[in-house]
Amino acid sequence: MTYDDIRKSFLNYFESKGHKIVPSASLIPNDPTLLFTVAGMVPWKGILQGTEPAFAPRVADVQKCIRAGGKHNDLEDVGFDGRHHTFFEMLGNWSFGDYFKEGAIEMSWELLTRVFGLDPNRIVVTTHYSDEEATAIWKKITGKDAIRLGDKDNWWSAGETGPCGPCTEMHYDMGDDLPGGMPGSADEDGGRWVEIWNDVFMQYDRDANGNLTPLPKQNVDTGAGLERFASIMQGVTDNYDTDLFVNLKRAVSDVTGVTETPENIASFKVITDHLRSVGFAIADGVIPSNTDRGYVIRRILRRAMRHGQILGHKGALLSKLYPALITEMGAAYPELAREEKRVVEILQNEENSFADMLQNGMKLLESELPKLNNGILPGDVAFKLFDTYGFPLDLTQMILRDKNIDVDVAGFEKAMTEQKERSRANTKGTRIFWESQTDLADTDDTAKYAPMDMESHVLSILRNGEFVQTAGAGDEVEVALDKTVFYGTQGGQVGDSGELKRDNETVMNITEAARVDNIVIHKGVLTSDLSVGDTVAPVINASIRQQTARAHTATHLLQAALRSVLNEDVEQRGSKVSPDSVRFDFRFGRAMTAEEKQAVEDLINKWIAADMPVEHDEMSMEAAVKKGAMALFGEKYGDTVKVITAGDVSCELCGGTHVYHTGEIIKARINKEKSISSGIRRITMSVGTLAE
């Protein structure tokens, strides 16, 4: 059975058992404690913990997941065995207060042995030692005696307190030619017995003293990894030998011109796995960056690119492989094809940036290698590779592994801590430096922040707290131009990122555009020499700009919807508009009800669907007041102001970037509403593809 066959058979079976079939949720979770959706239960966390109502008593899905950041991290193991993945699919069926242990066990067994036809004699089951009920059910249904294990193997909990309960697992015998003992034995990790299914029974609430109280509603949470399932169904012991990965590896061979061999198989595994993580994440709205989930995706992308170079490939890789991903998985996940143009554009930008970064970073690394006496790269050198050239630590380690050279990780972490302390101390000092440049106060940033072609001249370069005439490749600098299309952080909106180009070649990778008074500061790392007076072209990252504009206009709609649903007294008290989220603070004396939050979200999406025109006008402050434009609390405005008007529902003074029709926003979703101080509430919201 192929991956498509397994997905369809699984969902068809549970549909026949009365389950509502739902599509996979986004990889961007509605959970601030997680970078990614790391398990099938994440989208249902609120229902399972009783904080949200269930929309159906029985549900089944195939959930896309990523484990590559924070405590959920399988990245380092990918490529070196046949089971680890950063991206994987989780088959799951869920009961929200409906069937419980007997129903779950009966359906699990029927699906495994009758629908998928697995040999019952090659399956063993485990239960928690306290779970007499599940143990007896297995004996009744199968005649099998379960292996009874402790909390480590067969107990689930949401944390130290809260919902918890026993679980039962099904393990499959991959063959006596493989090493490894039965589940629970000392050598269970040998590979012979593979866990293929887990049924979690949420039946207790645990208090701070460890006391267990039966829950009023008992839920079932089940999960089975599709990749592992496919290897069993296709009779292979390595997930990367299943049909989906065989086809993706063939695509890697076509793009690189290299044939898979035992010597290079690790690189083929890394590239195919990372293609899925990066492709799906960007399609879901993750933008590669230097922070949070964006950093994780950039790190995965660069790791794949490095393995492409190990294969001898130069140039674009994942952007060329993305169509193969659509071919293999597009039928199950239509967002891959729908977002193809945007994803490929982002991949190409990242690949070009990586090529420049690697070339310059390798020069530094090669110059340092002859200085090593003990086979260990100093931590400060590894940190410079990270800080200046964007080398994640694991990329440096991977490059050096073939040379039998280690990295002083403790020294790297020490340098990282020191840099963070310096950054905090220098923030104010950097502003003082730029405030001294009074002759730059009238620089031209009136290009309406459009991603247009523009020729600019370098006015000032700040490096290490000193204004210089020339800086070189690898230098971390701040640059002021006589005119720019970059939006510098202000008014709650984060600044643009992008590049400075000279003769169509990148001379600077800009990670952030900041603002000091009227001066837009371009912060980043040079890839070649740059001097005051040079002619350059400022080029923004258009994809990030577009998503930020969606988020900013959606923020205006959010304020209008709050005033409509709650009352006219709602006032904004701050915001942060970034490509992957909106944070909106407002004055209101109580928590919003679930009905109010839904009404606000529905109203915003109604306005988005209406595709109302969004007008961008400049006028005198007097004219803006007559028009009824709303001003931001505590903000200072000049004589001439910019007014953003969305249909007949919103009219605000705002200097940020915005869409031109509300339909460009695509969709909005309120994630959370909470108190941040007395009388002040905060809403976080996703927009665009992230809200889908």
Side-chain angles (χ1 to χ4, degrees):
M1 297 181 75
T2 66
Y3 278 75
D4 284 338
D5 293 335
I6 295 171
R7 289 190 204 97
K8 290 175 183 176
S9 296
F10 176 85
L11 295 176
N12 287 343
Y13 172 78
F14 281 105
E15 187 173 36
S16 74
K17 297 295 182 180
H19 290 66
K20 179 179 178 63
I21 306 303
V22 297
S24 171
S26 170
L27 285 167
I28 302 175
N30 183 17
D31 185 335
T33 68
L34 298 172
L35 287 178
F36 298 101
T37 299
V38 296
M41 65 83 63
V42 170
W44 317 122
K45 188 174 178 180
I47 298 175
L48 295 171
Q49 294 183 345
T51 60
E52 297 177 15
F55 60 92
R58 302 182 177 198
V59 172
D61 64 358
V62 181
Q63 175 63 47
K64 51 194 178 186
C65 304
I66 286 181
R67 290 185 183 174
K71 64 182 180 180
H72 303 283
N73 193 354
D74 289 341
L75 179 61
E76 307 301 334
D77 296 314
V78 172
F80 299 100
D81 63 19
R83 294 185 183 175
H84 281 92
H85 303 276
T86 56
F87 175 95
F88 63 96
E89 298 174 80
M90 184 65 74
L91 308 167
N93 60 287
W94 317 84
S95 168
F96 303 131
D98 188 16
Y99 60 82
F100 200 46
K101 294 181 183 180
E102 185 159 7
I105 291 173
E106 284 179 345
M107 285 185 280
S108 297
W109 188 249
E110 182 176 41
L111 182 69
L112 290 175
T113 59
R114 296 184 183 176
V115 177
F116 289 125
L118 297 183
D119 183 354
N121 296 318
R122 296 179 70 172
I123 300 174
V124 299
V125 298
T126 64
T127 58
H128 192 258
Y129 65 83
S130 68
D131 196 350
E132 300 287 351
E133 182 183 3
T135 304
I137 293 170
W138 276 116
K139 184 70 172 179
K140 182 180 83 171
I141 293 174
T142 70
K144 289 178 176 286
D145 291 317
I147 300 172
R148 305 180 74 168
L149 302 176
D151 290 359
K152 175 179 176 293
D153 298 285
N154 285 87
W155 187 268
W156 176 91
S157 66
E160 294 298 320
T161 61
C164 59
C167 64
T168 181
E169 296 177 344
M170 288 131 271
H171 299 254
Y172 188 77
D173 184 359
M174 299 295 288
D176 56 13
D177 56 330
L178 295 174
M182 296 280 279
S185 65
D187 59 344
E188 65 176 329
D189 294 330
R192 176 174 176 178
W193 290 91
V194 174
E195 178 196 335
I196 56 173
W197 200 300
N198 185 13
D199 291 353
V200 173
F201 306 123
M202 299 182 190
Q203 64 183 109
Y204 300 112
D205 180 74
R206 181 164 56 193
D207 65 21
N209 296 319
N211 299 314
L212 299 177
T213 303
L215 290 168
K217 271 194 173 183
Q218 298 175 325
N219 302 315
V220 174
D221 158 10
T222 83
L226 178 53
E227 292 77 11
R228 187 177 295 183
F229 215 95
S231 70
I232 293 171
M233 298 301 297
Q234 296 177 25
V236 296
T237 58
D238 189 319
N239 294 355
Y240 292 89
D241 289 334
T242 54
D243 68 290
L244 187 152
F245 284 99
V246 167
N247 293 336
L248 290 180
K249 287 188 292 182
R250 186 177 298 118
V252 172
S253 185
D254 292 340
V255 169
T256 63
V258 177
T259 302
E260 178 187 339
T261 67
E263 290 73 29
N264 64 24
I265 182 57
S267 292
F268 274 80
K269 288 181 176 180
V270 168
I271 293 168
T272 53
D273 171 87
H274 291 6
L275 168 66
R276 297 207 304 167
S277 286
V278 172
F280 271 92
I282 296 176
D284 271 7
V286 178
I287 307 294
S289 67
N290 291 328
T291 58
D292 298 329
R293 62 176 66 92
Y295 172 71
V296 174
I297 293 305
R298 176 170 283 171
R299 181 181 175 197
I300 294 173
L301 188 152
R302 289 180 173 180
R303 192 168 187 260
M305 290 290 292
R306 177 58 184 165
H307 275 277
Q309 293 186 335
I310 290 173
L311 293 176
H313 178 72
K314 297 184 186 297
L317 179 62
L318 297 190
S319 60
K320 291 185 176 180
L321 289 171
Y322 188 76
L325 181 64
I326 295 175
T327 298
E328 293 304 311
M329 304 187 72
Y333 300 98
E335 65 269 22
L336 290 177
R338 186 175 65 241
E339 298 294 327
E340 180 177 12
K341 182 179 178 181
R342 184 177 64 85
V343 174
V344 170
E345 179 185 352
I346 291 174
L347 287 174
Q348 289 171 338
N349 289 339
E350 287 292 315
E351 288 168 337
N352 291 337
S353 175
F354 174 81
D356 294 335
M357 176 272 292
L358 189 66
Q359 180 180 3
N360 292 304
M362 288 301 294
K363 290 178 183 177
L364 171 64
L365 189 57
E366 289 167 0
S367 70
E368 292 290 334
L369 294 183
K371 305 175 186 178
L372 304 185
N373 296 320
N374 55 0
I376 298 177
L377 185 76
D380 61 336
V381 176
F383 178 74
K384 185 174 182 181
L385 284 166
F386 165 78
D387 192 43
T388 304
Y389 300 102
F391 276 46
L393 177 61
D394 66 305
L395 176 61
T396 301
Q397 292 172 316
M398 182 171 63
I399 293 171
L400 295 178
R401 188 179 293 130
D402 293 339
K403 303 178 185 295
N404 294 317
I405 297 174
D406 292 326
V407 177
D408 175 13
V409 176
F412 173 88
E413 292 174 346
K414 180 174 181 288
M416 175 77 82
T417 300
E418 291 173 349
Q419 170 67 356
K420 289 179 179 178
E421 292 172 351
R422 283 196 302 272
S423 177
R424 283 193 292 268
N426 288 339
T427 298
K428 183 176 180 181
T430 296
R431 181 175 183 88
I432 292 172
F433 280 121
W434 284 109
E435 285 176 341
S436 69
Q437 302 296 292
T438 55
D439 58 325
L440 302 182
D442 294 325
T443 53
D444 181 6
D445 64 349
T446 60
K448 308 297 187 297
Y449 311 118
M452 63 182 70
D453 293 335
M454 175 181 282
E455 188 176 88
S456 304
H457 297 93
V458 176
L459 296 182
S460 294
I461 302 172
L462 182 67
R463 181 185 63 190
N464 297 328
E466 178 184 2
F467 286 103
V468 296
Q469 287 297 114
T470 300
D475 286 345
E476 186 172 348
V477 297
E478 299 180 7
V479 174
L481 306 174
D482 64 337
K483 53 182 178 293
T484 185
V485 295
F486 277 72
Y487 180 87
T489 301
Q490 71 169 356
Q493 179 178 326
V494 300
D496 284 323
S497 60
E499 302 168 298
L500 289 186
K501 289 182 175 288
R502 182 174 56 210
D503 299 327
N504 292 322
E505 296 291 332
T506 300
V507 296
M508 179 178 177
N509 288 314
I510 299 169
T511 56
E512 176 192 1
R515 176 179 287 272
V516 177
D517 295 331
N518 288 331
I519 310 170
V520 175
I521 310 302
H522 307 77
K523 299 181 178 182
V525 178
L526 295 177
T527 58
S528 64
D529 291 349
L530 184 70
S531 300
V532 172
D534 281 359
T535 299
V536 293
V539 181
I540 64 168
N541 185 315
S543 297
I544 293 179
R545 162 70 71 81
Q546 180 188 41
Q547 181 66 6
T548 306
R550 287 170 176 161
H552 205 154
T553 307
T555 306
H556 287 206
L557 298 184
L558 171 60
Q559 176 159 242
L562 286 169
R563 290 168 66 86
S564 174
V565 172
L566 301 179
N567 60 57
E568 290 291 323
D569 294 332
V570 168
E571 289 183 359
Q572 182 177 345
R573 283 294 184 268
S575 66
K576 182 180 180 182
V577 177
S578 58
D580 56 0
S581 67
V582 165
R583 190 182 73 204
F584 185 84
D585 300 339
F586 62 104
R587 190 183 70 184
F588 195 57
R590 61 170 174 80
M592 294 173 63
T593 66
E595 292 75 17
E596 287 170 337
K597 285 186 285 187
Q598 190 62 55
V600 168
E601 182 179 297
D602 290 346
L603 188 53
I604 296 170
N605 285 309
K606 175 183 175 182
W607 291 335
I608 292 171
D611 199 25
M612 300 181 297
V614 179
E615 299 174 358
H616 303 223
D617 298 313
E618 286 190 358
M619 60 186 71
S620 68
M621 186 64 180
E622 182 181 1
V625 171
K626 288 181 179 178
K627 188 174 181 179
M630 186 182 302
L632 180 63
F633 171 80
E635 193 77 4
K636 295 181 180 179
Y637 298 95
D639 294 334
T640 300
V641 293
K642 184 178 177 182
V643 178
I644 302 298
T645 306
D648 59 358
V649 302
S650 172
C651 182
E652 293 190 37
L653 301 181
C654 184
T657 62
H658 290 269
V659 300
Y660 287 86
H661 286 85
T662 57
E664 297 173 47
I665 300 172
I666 302 174
K667 189 176 181 180
R669 178 181 179 183
I670 293 177
N671 298 323
K672 183 170 287 189
E673 186 265 352
K674 65 178 183 179
S675 170
I676 59 170
S677 64
S678 179
I680 305 296
R681 311 293 300 178
R682 171 171 291 170
I683 281 178
T684 55
M685 182 171 70
S686 301
V687 302
T689 55
L690 281 68
E692 294 183 309

